Amino acid sequence: DDSVLRADVKQALNILSNEEKTIVLCSAVAGMSSEEISKMTNLKSGTIRSKLSRALEKLGIVNALNIVIREEA
């Protein structure tokens, strides 16, 4: 059921800070690159990649999901 999945995702995201949630959602859901997220958050793209990695580790999905931050050319 979609409502159960949404509740599970919301619960999982609650362990993240607001900044981490923003980065994870922009990357994983919106498909934004680290450079795009960087411009939106005023953080360096390397910081975005680091924070995304740490957030995914917190969620325990580093190896379970195939999330790749696209590099801007």
Side-chain angles (χ1 to χ4, degrees):
D1 186 350
D2 283 348
S3 62
V4 172
L5 178 59
R6 279 191 289 266
D8 288 345
V9 169
K10 281 183 181 181
Q11 184 177 358
L13 289 174
N14 281 335
I15 68 169
L16 301 177
S17 70
N18 287 337
E19 182 177 67
E20 290 169 328
K21 283 181 206 175
T22 298
I23 292 168
V24 168
L25 293 173
C26 286
S27 176
V29 177
M32 294 173 69
S33 70
S34 60
E35 186 62 31
E36 291 169 321
I37 300 169
S38 172
K39 289 176 184 174
M40 184 183 82
T41 62
N42 295 319
L43 297 170
K44 294 180 180 180
S45 60
T47 301
I48 297 298
R49 289 189 298 273
S50 177
K51 288 181 177 283
L52 177 61
S53 178
R54 287 192 199 116
L56 294 176
E57 283 181 24
K58 279 186 184 180
L59 293 173
I61 57 175
V62 174
N63 295 317
L65 289 179
N66 186 19
I67 296 175
V68 176
I69 299 179
R70 296 184 321 271
E71 294 295 328
E72 292 286 317

Short mmCIF file of all heavy atoms in Angstrom, two decimals:
data_model
loop_
_atom_site.label_atom_id
_atom_site.label_comp_id
_atom_site.label_asym_id
_atom_site.label_seq_id
_atom_site.Cartn_x
_atom_site.Cartn_y
_atom_site.Cartn_z
N ASP A 1 0.84 -1.19 0.00
CA ASP A 1 0.00 0.00 0.00
C ASP A 1 0.88 1.25 0.00
O ASP A 1 1.81 1.36 0.78
CB ASP A 1 -0.92 -0.04 1.21
CG ASP A 1 -1.95 1.06 1.25
OD1 ASP A 1 -1.89 2.00 0.45
OD2 ASP A 1 -2.84 0.95 2.10
N ASP A 2 0.56 2.21 -0.87
CA ASP A 2 1.34 3.44 -0.98
C ASP A 2 1.36 4.24 0.32
O ASP A 2 2.37 4.86 0.64
CB ASP A 2 0.81 4.32 -2.11
CG ASP A 2 1.22 3.81 -3.47
OD1 ASP A 2 2.09 2.92 -3.55
OD2 ASP A 2 0.67 4.31 -4.47
N SER A 3 0.25 4.25 1.04
CA SER A 3 0.21 5.04 2.28
C SER A 3 1.15 4.46 3.33
O SER A 3 1.76 5.22 4.09
CB SER A 3 -1.21 5.13 2.82
OG SER A 3 -1.70 3.85 3.15
N VAL A 4 1.30 3.16 3.36
CA VAL A 4 2.23 2.52 4.30
C VAL A 4 3.67 2.86 3.91
O VAL A 4 4.49 3.20 4.76
CB VAL A 4 2.03 0.98 4.34
CG1 VAL A 4 3.11 0.30 5.15
CG2 VAL A 4 0.65 0.65 4.87
N LEU A 5 3.97 2.80 2.62
CA LEU A 5 5.30 3.15 2.14
C LEU A 5 5.63 4.59 2.46
O LEU A 5 6.73 4.89 2.95
CB LEU A 5 5.41 2.90 0.63
CG LEU A 5 6.74 3.27 -0.02
CD1 LEU A 5 7.89 2.49 0.61
CD2 LEU A 5 6.68 3.02 -1.50
N ARG A 6 4.69 5.50 2.22
CA ARG A 6 4.92 6.92 2.53
C ARG A 6 5.17 7.12 4.02
O ARG A 6 6.04 7.89 4.40
CB ARG A 6 3.74 7.76 2.06
CG ARG A 6 3.78 8.09 0.59
CD ARG A 6 2.74 9.16 0.25
NE ARG A 6 1.39 8.63 0.33
CZ ARG A 6 0.73 8.16 -0.71
NH1 ARG A 6 1.27 8.16 -1.89
NH2 ARG A 6 -0.49 7.70 -0.57
N ALA A 7 4.44 6.43 4.86
CA ALA A 7 4.63 6.54 6.31
C ALA A 7 6.01 6.02 6.70
O ALA A 7 6.69 6.62 7.54
CB ALA A 7 3.54 5.77 7.05
N ASP A 8 6.45 4.93 6.08
CA ASP A 8 7.78 4.37 6.36
C ASP A 8 8.87 5.34 5.94
O ASP A 8 9.85 5.53 6.66
CB ASP A 8 7.97 3.03 5.64
CG ASP A 8 7.16 1.90 6.25
OD1 ASP A 8 6.65 2.05 7.39
OD2 ASP A 8 7.03 0.86 5.58
N VAL A 9 8.71 5.96 4.79
CA VAL A 9 9.70 6.92 4.30
C VAL A 9 9.75 8.14 5.22
O VAL A 9 10.83 8.59 5.60
CB VAL A 9 9.40 7.34 2.85
CG1 VAL A 9 10.26 8.52 2.42
CG2 VAL A 9 9.59 6.16 1.91
N LYS A 10 8.60 8.65 5.60
CA LYS A 10 8.56 9.81 6.51
C LYS A 10 9.24 9.47 7.83
O LYS A 10 10.00 10.28 8.36
CB LYS A 10 7.11 10.24 6.77
CG LYS A 10 6.51 11.04 5.67
CD LYS A 10 5.11 11.50 6.05
CE LYS A 10 4.48 12.30 4.94
NZ LYS A 10 3.13 12.76 5.30
N GLN A 11 8.97 8.29 8.36
CA GLN A 11 9.57 7.88 9.62
C GLN A 11 11.09 7.78 9.48
O GLN A 11 11.83 8.23 10.35
CB GLN A 11 9.00 6.54 10.08
CG GLN A 11 9.52 6.10 11.43
CD GLN A 11 8.87 4.80 11.88
OE1 GLN A 11 8.01 4.25 11.22
NE2 GLN A 11 9.30 4.31 13.02
N ALA A 12 11.55 7.21 8.38
CA ALA A 12 12.99 7.09 8.15
C ALA A 12 13.64 8.46 8.03
O ALA A 12 14.71 8.70 8.61
CB ALA A 12 13.25 6.26 6.90
N LEU A 13 12.99 9.37 7.32
CA LEU A 13 13.56 10.70 7.13
C LEU A 13 13.61 11.52 8.42
O LEU A 13 14.41 12.44 8.55
CB LEU A 13 12.79 11.46 6.05
CG LEU A 13 12.99 10.97 4.63
CD1 LEU A 13 12.06 11.71 3.68
CD2 LEU A 13 14.42 11.08 4.17
N ASN A 14 12.79 11.17 9.39
CA ASN A 14 12.76 11.91 10.65
C ASN A 14 14.06 11.81 11.43
O ASN A 14 14.30 12.63 12.32
CB ASN A 14 11.59 11.46 11.52
CG ASN A 14 10.29 12.09 11.07
OD1 ASN A 14 10.28 13.14 10.46
ND2 ASN A 14 9.20 11.42 11.38
N ILE A 15 14.92 10.84 11.12
CA ILE A 15 16.20 10.76 11.83
C ILE A 15 17.23 11.74 11.26
O ILE A 15 18.28 11.94 11.84
CB ILE A 15 16.79 9.33 11.82
CG1 ILE A 15 17.22 8.91 10.41
CG2 ILE A 15 15.83 8.33 12.43
CD1 ILE A 15 18.03 7.64 10.39
N LEU A 16 16.89 12.36 10.14
CA LEU A 16 17.81 13.31 9.50
C LEU A 16 17.51 14.74 9.91
O LEU A 16 16.37 15.08 10.23
CB LEU A 16 17.69 13.21 7.97
CG LEU A 16 17.97 11.86 7.33
CD1 LEU A 16 17.73 11.94 5.83
CD2 LEU A 16 19.37 11.37 7.65
N SER A 17 18.55 15.58 9.87
CA SER A 17 18.34 17.01 10.08
C SER A 17 17.58 17.57 8.87
O SER A 17 17.51 16.93 7.82
CB SER A 17 19.69 17.73 10.22
OG SER A 17 20.36 17.74 8.97
N ASN A 18 17.05 18.76 9.01
CA ASN A 18 16.34 19.38 7.89
C ASN A 18 17.25 19.54 6.68
O ASN A 18 16.84 19.32 5.54
CB ASN A 18 15.75 20.74 8.30
CG ASN A 18 14.55 20.58 9.20
OD1 ASN A 18 13.89 19.54 9.18
ND2 ASN A 18 14.27 21.60 9.98
N GLU A 19 18.51 19.91 6.93
CA GLU A 19 19.46 20.08 5.83
C GLU A 19 19.71 18.75 5.12
O GLU A 19 19.72 18.68 3.89
CB GLU A 19 20.78 20.63 6.38
CG GLU A 19 21.82 20.89 5.32
CD GLU A 19 23.06 21.49 5.92
OE1 GLU A 19 23.77 20.80 6.69
OE2 GLU A 19 23.35 22.67 5.60
N GLU A 20 19.88 17.68 5.90
CA GLU A 20 20.10 16.35 5.31
C GLU A 20 18.88 15.90 4.52
O GLU A 20 19.01 15.35 3.42
CB GLU A 20 20.42 15.33 6.39
CG GLU A 20 21.78 15.53 7.03
CD GLU A 20 21.98 14.70 8.28
OE1 GLU A 20 21.00 14.45 9.01
OE2 GLU A 20 23.13 14.31 8.53
N LYS A 21 17.68 16.14 5.05
CA LYS A 21 16.45 15.78 4.33
C LYS A 21 16.39 16.49 2.99
O LYS A 21 16.08 15.88 1.96
CB LYS A 21 15.21 16.17 5.14
CG LYS A 21 14.88 15.28 6.27
CD LYS A 21 13.62 15.79 6.95
CE LYS A 21 13.61 15.36 8.39
NZ LYS A 21 12.49 15.91 9.14
N THR A 22 16.69 17.78 3.00
CA THR A 22 16.66 18.57 1.77
C THR A 22 17.61 17.98 0.74
O THR A 22 17.24 17.79 -0.42
CB THR A 22 17.03 20.04 2.06
OG1 THR A 22 16.06 20.59 2.94
CG2 THR A 22 17.12 20.86 0.79
N ILE A 23 18.83 17.68 1.16
CA ILE A 23 19.84 17.15 0.24
C ILE A 23 19.42 15.78 -0.30
O ILE A 23 19.51 15.53 -1.51
CB ILE A 23 21.21 17.10 0.93
CG1 ILE A 23 21.71 18.52 1.19
CG2 ILE A 23 22.22 16.31 0.10
CD1 ILE A 23 22.92 18.62 2.11
N VAL A 24 18.95 14.89 0.58
CA VAL A 24 18.54 13.55 0.14
C VAL A 24 17.36 13.65 -0.83
O VAL A 24 17.36 13.01 -1.88
CB VAL A 24 18.18 12.66 1.35
CG1 VAL A 24 17.47 11.39 0.90
CG2 VAL A 24 19.44 12.31 2.14
N LEU A 25 16.36 14.44 -0.49
CA LEU A 25 15.19 14.55 -1.34
C LEU A 25 15.50 15.20 -2.68
O LEU A 25 15.01 14.77 -3.72
CB LEU A 25 14.06 15.29 -0.62
CG LEU A 25 13.48 14.55 0.58
CD1 LEU A 25 12.48 15.43 1.33
CD2 LEU A 25 12.83 13.25 0.16
N CYS A 26 16.34 16.23 -2.66
CA CYS A 26 16.71 16.89 -3.92
C CYS A 26 17.48 15.93 -4.82
O CYS A 26 17.27 15.91 -6.03
CB CYS A 26 17.54 18.13 -3.64
SG CYS A 26 16.57 19.50 -3.00
N SER A 27 18.36 15.14 -4.23
CA SER A 27 19.16 14.22 -5.02
C SER A 27 18.36 13.00 -5.46
O SER A 27 18.26 12.70 -6.65
CB SER A 27 20.38 13.76 -4.21
OG SER A 27 21.12 12.81 -4.91
N ALA A 28 17.78 12.30 -4.49
CA ALA A 28 17.13 11.01 -4.78
C ALA A 28 15.77 11.16 -5.45
O ALA A 28 15.43 10.37 -6.32
CB ALA A 28 16.98 10.21 -3.49
N VAL A 29 15.01 12.14 -5.05
CA VAL A 29 13.65 12.28 -5.57
C VAL A 29 13.60 13.22 -6.77
O VAL A 29 13.04 12.89 -7.81
CB VAL A 29 12.67 12.74 -4.46
CG1 VAL A 29 11.28 12.94 -5.02
CG2 VAL A 29 12.66 11.74 -3.32
N ALA A 30 14.22 14.39 -6.62
CA ALA A 30 14.16 15.38 -7.68
C ALA A 30 15.23 15.17 -8.75
O ALA A 30 15.17 15.77 -9.81
CB ALA A 30 14.27 16.79 -7.10
N GLY A 31 16.22 14.34 -8.44
CA GLY A 31 17.27 14.05 -9.41
C GLY A 31 18.23 15.20 -9.66
O GLY A 31 18.87 15.28 -10.71
N MET A 32 18.34 16.09 -8.69
CA MET A 32 19.23 17.24 -8.84
C MET A 32 20.68 16.82 -8.67
O MET A 32 21.00 15.91 -7.91
CB MET A 32 18.87 18.31 -7.80
CG MET A 32 17.50 18.93 -8.01
SD MET A 32 17.03 20.05 -6.66
CE MET A 32 18.18 21.40 -6.90
N SER A 33 21.58 17.52 -9.37
CA SER A 33 23.01 17.27 -9.24
C SER A 33 23.54 17.96 -7.99
O SER A 33 22.87 18.84 -7.41
CB SER A 33 23.75 17.82 -10.46
OG SER A 33 23.72 19.23 -10.46
N SER A 34 24.75 17.61 -7.58
CA SER A 34 25.35 18.26 -6.42
C SER A 34 25.54 19.75 -6.68
O SER A 34 25.39 20.57 -5.77
CB SER A 34 26.68 17.60 -6.04
OG SER A 34 27.60 17.68 -7.11
N GLU A 35 25.84 20.11 -7.92
CA GLU A 35 26.00 21.52 -8.26
C GLU A 35 24.67 22.28 -8.14
O GLU A 35 24.63 23.39 -7.63
CB GLU A 35 26.56 21.66 -9.69
CG GLU A 35 26.90 23.07 -10.08
CD GLU A 35 28.01 23.70 -9.23
OE1 GLU A 35 28.90 22.97 -8.75
OE2 GLU A 35 27.95 24.92 -9.03
N GLU A 36 23.59 21.67 -8.58
CA GLU A 36 22.27 22.31 -8.46
C GLU A 36 21.88 22.48 -7.00
O GLU A 36 21.37 23.53 -6.60
CB GLU A 36 21.22 21.48 -9.19
CG GLU A 36 21.37 21.48 -10.70
CD GLU A 36 20.51 20.44 -11.38
OE1 GLU A 36 20.36 19.31 -10.85
OE2 GLU A 36 19.99 20.76 -12.47
N ILE A 37 22.11 21.45 -6.20
CA ILE A 37 21.80 21.52 -4.77
C ILE A 37 22.69 22.56 -4.10
O ILE A 37 22.25 23.31 -3.23
CB ILE A 37 21.94 20.14 -4.10
CG1 ILE A 37 20.99 19.13 -4.75
CG2 ILE A 37 21.66 20.24 -2.60
CD1 ILE A 37 21.25 17.68 -4.35
N SER A 38 23.95 22.62 -4.53
CA SER A 38 24.90 23.59 -4.00
C SER A 38 24.40 25.02 -4.19
O SER A 38 24.44 25.83 -3.27
CB SER A 38 26.25 23.40 -4.69
OG SER A 38 27.15 24.42 -4.34
N LYS A 39 23.92 25.32 -5.38
CA LYS A 39 23.41 26.66 -5.66
C LYS A 39 22.18 26.98 -4.82
O LYS A 39 22.01 28.11 -4.35
CB LYS A 39 23.07 26.79 -7.15
CG LYS A 39 24.29 26.84 -8.03
CD LYS A 39 23.91 26.88 -9.50
CE LYS A 39 25.17 26.82 -10.36
NZ LYS A 39 24.84 26.72 -11.79
N MET A 40 21.35 25.99 -4.60
CA MET A 40 20.13 26.18 -3.84
C MET A 40 20.41 26.39 -2.34
O MET A 40 19.73 27.17 -1.68
CB MET A 40 19.21 24.97 -4.02
CG MET A 40 17.87 25.09 -3.36
SD MET A 40 16.89 23.60 -3.56
CE MET A 40 17.58 22.59 -2.25
N THR A 41 21.42 25.69 -1.83
CA THR A 41 21.69 25.70 -0.39
C THR A 41 22.85 26.60 0.02
O THR A 41 23.10 26.79 1.21
CB THR A 41 22.01 24.28 0.11
OG1 THR A 41 23.19 23.81 -0.56
CG2 THR A 41 20.85 23.34 -0.10
N ASN A 42 23.58 27.13 -0.97
CA ASN A 42 24.77 27.94 -0.70
C ASN A 42 25.88 27.15 -0.01
O ASN A 42 26.65 27.71 0.76
CB ASN A 42 24.43 29.21 0.09
CG ASN A 42 23.56 30.15 -0.69
OD1 ASN A 42 23.77 30.35 -1.88
ND2 ASN A 42 22.57 30.72 -0.04
N LEU A 43 25.93 25.84 -0.25
CA LEU A 43 27.01 24.99 0.24
C LEU A 43 27.83 24.54 -0.96
O LEU A 43 27.32 24.45 -2.07
CB LEU A 43 26.44 23.76 0.96
CG LEU A 43 25.63 24.01 2.22
CD1 LEU A 43 24.94 22.73 2.67
CD2 LEU A 43 26.52 24.55 3.32
N LYS A 44 29.10 24.23 -0.74
CA LYS A 44 29.95 23.74 -1.83
C LYS A 44 29.46 22.37 -2.27
O LYS A 44 28.94 21.59 -1.47
CB LYS A 44 31.40 23.66 -1.38
CG LYS A 44 31.99 25.03 -1.08
CD LYS A 44 33.42 24.91 -0.64
CE LYS A 44 33.98 26.30 -0.34
NZ LYS A 44 35.37 26.24 0.09
N SER A 45 29.66 22.06 -3.56
CA SER A 45 29.18 20.77 -4.08
C SER A 45 29.86 19.59 -3.39
O SER A 45 29.25 18.55 -3.19
CB SER A 45 29.32 20.69 -5.60
OG SER A 45 30.66 20.82 -5.98
N GLY A 46 31.12 19.74 -2.99
CA GLY A 46 31.80 18.68 -2.24
C GLY A 46 31.15 18.45 -0.89
O GLY A 46 31.05 17.32 -0.42
N THR A 47 30.69 19.52 -0.27
CA THR A 47 29.98 19.42 1.01
C THR A 47 28.66 18.71 0.81
O THR A 47 28.26 17.88 1.64
CB THR A 47 29.76 20.83 1.60
OG1 THR A 47 31.03 21.45 1.79
CG2 THR A 47 29.01 20.77 2.92
N ILE A 48 27.99 19.00 -0.30
CA ILE A 48 26.72 18.34 -0.61
C ILE A 48 26.95 16.84 -0.73
O ILE A 48 26.21 16.03 -0.15
CB ILE A 48 26.09 18.90 -1.90
CG1 ILE A 48 25.74 20.39 -1.75
CG2 ILE A 48 24.88 18.08 -2.34
CD1 ILE A 48 24.72 20.70 -0.67
N ARG A 49 27.97 16.45 -1.49
CA ARG A 49 28.25 15.02 -1.67
C ARG A 49 28.56 14.34 -0.34
O ARG A 49 28.09 13.24 -0.07
CB ARG A 49 29.39 14.83 -2.67
CG ARG A 49 28.98 15.17 -4.10
CD ARG A 49 30.04 14.77 -5.12
NE ARG A 49 31.30 15.45 -4.92
CZ ARG A 49 31.61 16.64 -5.44
NH1 ARG A 49 30.72 17.27 -6.20
NH2 ARG A 49 32.78 17.19 -5.23
N SER A 50 29.33 15.01 0.49
CA SER A 50 29.68 14.46 1.80
C SER A 50 28.45 14.32 2.69
O SER A 50 28.24 13.28 3.32
CB SER A 50 30.71 15.38 2.47
OG SER A 50 31.03 14.94 3.75
N LYS A 51 27.64 15.37 2.73
CA LYS A 51 26.43 15.33 3.57
C LYS A 51 25.44 14.28 3.06
O LYS A 51 24.78 13.61 3.86
CB LYS A 51 25.78 16.71 3.64
CG LYS A 51 26.55 17.70 4.49
CD LYS A 51 25.85 19.04 4.54
CE LYS A 51 26.59 20.01 5.43
NZ LYS A 51 26.38 19.76 6.85
N LEU A 52 25.34 14.12 1.74
CA LEU A 52 24.46 13.10 1.18
C LEU A 52 24.94 11.71 1.59
O LEU A 52 24.15 10.88 2.03
CB LEU A 52 24.39 13.21 -0.34
CG LEU A 52 23.56 12.14 -1.03
CD1 LEU A 52 22.10 12.18 -0.57
CD2 LEU A 52 23.65 12.29 -2.54
N SER A 53 26.23 11.48 1.48
CA SER A 53 26.79 10.19 1.86
C SER A 53 26.51 9.87 3.32
O SER A 53 26.08 8.77 3.67
CB SER A 53 28.29 10.18 1.58
OG SER A 53 28.86 8.96 1.98
N ARG A 54 26.75 10.84 4.18
CA ARG A 54 26.51 10.64 5.62
C ARG A 54 25.02 10.42 5.92
O ARG A 54 24.67 9.59 6.76
CB ARG A 54 27.03 11.83 6.42
CG ARG A 54 28.54 11.85 6.49
CD ARG A 54 29.04 12.85 7.51
NE ARG A 54 30.42 13.16 7.22
CZ ARG A 54 30.87 14.36 6.86
NH1 ARG A 54 30.05 15.37 6.78
NH2 ARG A 54 32.14 14.55 6.61
N ALA A 55 24.17 11.16 5.25
CA ALA A 55 22.72 11.00 5.46
C ALA A 55 22.27 9.61 5.03
O ALA A 55 21.48 8.96 5.72
CB ALA A 55 21.96 12.08 4.69
N LEU A 56 22.77 9.14 3.89
CA LEU A 56 22.41 7.80 3.43
C LEU A 56 22.93 6.73 4.37
O LEU A 56 22.27 5.71 4.60
CB LEU A 56 22.90 7.58 2.00
CG LEU A 56 22.24 8.46 0.94
CD1 LEU A 56 22.87 8.21 -0.42
CD2 LEU A 56 20.74 8.26 0.90
N GLU A 57 24.11 6.96 4.94
CA GLU A 57 24.64 6.03 5.94
C GLU A 57 23.69 5.98 7.15
O GLU A 57 23.41 4.91 7.67
CB GLU A 57 26.03 6.45 6.39
CG GLU A 57 27.11 6.09 5.40
CD GLU A 57 28.49 6.50 5.88
OE1 GLU A 57 28.69 6.63 7.11
OE2 GLU A 57 29.37 6.69 5.03
N LYS A 58 23.23 7.15 7.60
CA LYS A 58 22.29 7.21 8.72
C LYS A 58 21.03 6.40 8.41
O LYS A 58 20.48 5.74 9.27
CB LYS A 58 21.87 8.65 9.03
CG LYS A 58 22.82 9.43 9.85
CD LYS A 58 22.17 10.77 10.17
CE LYS A 58 23.09 11.69 10.92
NZ LYS A 58 22.43 12.98 11.21
N LEU A 59 20.59 6.51 7.18
CA LEU A 59 19.38 5.80 6.77
C LEU A 59 19.64 4.32 6.52
O LEU A 59 18.70 3.54 6.37
CB LEU A 59 18.79 6.43 5.50
CG LEU A 59 18.23 7.84 5.66
CD1 LEU A 59 17.85 8.40 4.31
CD2 LEU A 59 17.05 7.85 6.61
N GLY A 60 20.92 3.93 6.46
CA GLY A 60 21.27 2.53 6.24
C GLY A 60 21.00 2.07 4.83
O GLY A 60 20.74 0.89 4.60
N ILE A 61 21.05 3.00 3.88
CA ILE A 61 20.72 2.63 2.51
C ILE A 61 21.83 2.93 1.52
O ILE A 61 21.60 2.99 0.32
CB ILE A 61 19.41 3.30 2.04
CG1 ILE A 61 19.50 4.81 2.15
CG2 ILE A 61 18.22 2.75 2.78
CD1 ILE A 61 18.29 5.54 1.60
N VAL A 62 23.04 3.10 2.02
CA VAL A 62 24.14 3.43 1.14
C VAL A 62 24.29 2.38 0.04
O VAL A 62 24.38 2.70 -1.14
CB VAL A 62 25.46 3.58 1.92
CG1 VAL A 62 26.62 3.78 0.96
CG2 VAL A 62 25.37 4.74 2.89
N ASN A 63 24.27 1.13 0.41
CA ASN A 63 24.45 0.07 -0.57
C ASN A 63 23.13 -0.43 -1.15
O ASN A 63 23.12 -1.09 -2.18
CB ASN A 63 25.22 -1.10 0.03
CG ASN A 63 26.63 -0.70 0.40
OD1 ASN A 63 27.30 -0.02 -0.36
ND2 ASN A 63 27.08 -1.10 1.57
N ALA A 64 22.02 -0.12 -0.48
CA ALA A 64 20.72 -0.61 -0.94
C ALA A 64 20.19 0.20 -2.11
O ALA A 64 19.48 -0.30 -2.96
CB ALA A 64 19.72 -0.59 0.20
N LEU A 65 20.54 1.48 -2.16
CA LEU A 65 20.07 2.34 -3.24
C LEU A 65 21.22 2.68 -4.16
O LEU A 65 22.35 2.82 -3.74
CB LEU A 65 19.50 3.66 -2.68
CG LEU A 65 18.19 3.57 -1.95
CD1 LEU A 65 17.80 4.96 -1.45
CD2 LEU A 65 17.09 3.02 -2.82
N ASN A 66 20.92 2.83 -5.40
CA ASN A 66 21.93 3.20 -6.38
C ASN A 66 21.75 4.67 -6.70
O ASN A 66 21.28 5.03 -7.78
CB ASN A 66 21.81 2.33 -7.64
CG ASN A 66 22.92 2.61 -8.61
OD1 ASN A 66 23.93 3.16 -8.25
ND2 ASN A 66 22.69 2.22 -9.85
N ILE A 67 22.11 5.53 -5.75
CA ILE A 67 21.98 6.97 -5.93
C ILE A 67 23.34 7.53 -6.31
O ILE A 67 24.30 7.39 -5.58
CB ILE A 67 21.46 7.66 -4.65
CG1 ILE A 67 20.07 7.17 -4.33
CG2 ILE A 67 21.48 9.17 -4.82
CD1 ILE A 67 19.53 7.69 -3.04
N VAL A 68 23.39 8.15 -7.45
CA VAL A 68 24.63 8.73 -7.93
C VAL A 68 24.39 10.21 -8.13
O VAL A 68 23.45 10.60 -8.81
CB VAL A 68 25.07 8.09 -9.26
CG1 VAL A 68 26.32 8.77 -9.79
CG2 VAL A 68 25.27 6.60 -9.09
N ILE A 69 25.22 11.00 -7.50
CA ILE A 69 25.11 12.44 -7.71
C ILE A 69 25.79 12.76 -9.03
O ILE A 69 26.96 12.51 -9.21
CB ILE A 69 25.78 13.23 -6.57
CG1 ILE A 69 25.11 12.92 -5.24
CG2 ILE A 69 25.73 14.71 -6.86
CD1 ILE A 69 25.72 13.63 -4.08
N ARG A 70 24.99 13.26 -9.94
CA ARG A 70 25.54 13.60 -11.24
C ARG A 70 26.43 14.83 -11.12
O ARG A 70 26.09 15.81 -10.47
CB ARG A 70 24.40 13.91 -12.22
CG ARG A 70 23.51 12.71 -12.48
CD ARG A 70 22.45 13.04 -13.52
NE ARG A 70 21.90 14.38 -13.42
CZ ARG A 70 20.85 14.70 -12.67
NH1 ARG A 70 20.24 13.79 -11.95
NH2 ARG A 70 20.38 15.94 -12.65
N GLU A 71 27.58 14.76 -11.72
CA GLU A 71 28.51 15.88 -11.75
C GLU A 71 28.13 16.80 -12.92
O GLU A 71 27.78 16.33 -13.99
CB GLU A 71 29.94 15.40 -11.94
CG GLU A 71 30.46 14.58 -10.78
CD GLU A 71 30.58 15.40 -9.51
OE1 GLU A 71 30.86 16.60 -9.57
OE2 GLU A 71 30.36 14.81 -8.44
N GLU A 72 28.22 18.06 -12.67
CA GLU A 72 28.00 19.03 -13.74
C GLU A 72 29.25 19.04 -14.62
O GLU A 72 30.36 18.99 -14.12
CB GLU A 72 27.78 20.43 -13.16
CG GLU A 72 26.47 20.56 -12.40
CD GLU A 72 25.26 20.59 -13.31
OE1 GLU A 72 25.30 21.28 -14.34
OE2 GLU A 72 24.28 19.93 -12.98
N ALA A 73 29.06 19.10 -15.89
CA ALA A 73 30.20 19.13 -16.83
C ALA A 73 30.86 20.48 -16.81
O ALA A 73 30.35 21.47 -16.47
CB ALA A 73 29.72 18.79 -18.22
#
